[in-house]
Amino acid sequence: MKARVYVMPKNGVLDPQGKAIGHALEGLGFAGVNDVRAGKVIELDLAETNPDAARKTAEEMARKLLANTVIESFRVELA
Amino acid sequence: MKARVYVMPKNGVLDPQGKAIGHALEGLGFAGVNDVRAGKVIELDLAETNPDAARKTAEEMARKLLANTVIESFRVELA
């Protein structure tokens, strides 16, 4: 079963990577970019076939390793 | 209008970051992880309000800056 974990910087947390992308887009001539935030997506291929168990495992992985929950929020999607 | 650009390494392209995450998960005691792929997500807040135009702009941004289309594939979602 595939699970996707999306990790984004929390609102209010400075996101220098997003800011850099925003400036680069401006430099390339893209106008009308109000804000950019950069995050990660981790695609997990799990042996677990039960959706509830897979979600729980992915959330535990996110809390323990994939996301720094002090400054990042995460969201799990099953696919 | 918000657009999300998901950038993932193409199938067959080596993904050392994903491999490292997979090993780290194993080290933490998570069993049954067949494969891990690591990608990026870029959240754009665009001034554009027309969904078709916003999608087109985001796709152009992905092709020109956000994704390296030789080794990465991307997907745009409007939110």
Side-chain angles (χ1 to χ4, degrees):
Chain A
M1 168 141 251
K2 292 220 173 185
R4 276 200 204 97
V5 180
Y6 299 100
V7 180
M8 295 296 296
K10 283 185 180 171
N11 283 332
V13 172
L14 219 62
D15 177 15
Q17 198 190 352
K19 286 273 170 294
I21 294 173
H23 286 135
L25 287 172
E26 224 173 274
L28 285 172
F30 289 103
V33 181
N34 296 332
D35 193 29
V36 183
R37 314 270 300 163
K40 294 175 286 185
V41 47
I42 295 111
E43 251 183 40
L44 303 158
D45 184 356
L46 302 173
E48 181 64 61
T49 53
N50 178 302
D52 286 346
R55 178 180 295 276
K56 237 178 218 162
T57 305
E59 285 177 356
E60 210 190 326
M61 288 173 174
R63 263 190 298 271
K64 283 202 179 159
L65 179 76
L66 307 175
N68 176 351
T69 54
V70 177
I71 53 167
E72 294 171 325
S73 60
F74 68 88
R75 185 174 100 243
V76 172
E77 252 177 39
L78 298 179
Chain B
M1 168 143 255
K2 293 221 171 183
R4 276 200 204 98
V5 181
Y6 299 100
V7 181
M8 293 298 293
K10 283 186 181 169
N11 282 333
V13 172
L14 219 61
D15 176 15
Q17 198 190 351
K19 284 275 170 291
I21 294 172
H23 286 136
L25 287 172
E26 225 173 90
L28 284 173
F30 290 103
V33 181
N34 296 332
D35 193 31
V36 183
R37 314 272 298 163
K40 294 175 286 186
V41 47
I42 295 111
E43 250 184 42
L44 302 157
D45 184 358
L46 302 172
E48 180 65 61
T49 52
N50 179 303
D52 287 345
R55 178 179 294 275
K56 239 178 217 162
T57 305
E59 285 177 355
E60 211 190 327
M61 287 172 176
R63 263 190 298 272
K64 284 201 179 159
L65 178 74
L66 306 175
N68 175 351
T69 53
V70 176
I71 54 167
E72 294 171 324
S73 61
F74 69 87
R75 184 175 101 244
V76 172
E77 252 176 39
L78 299 177

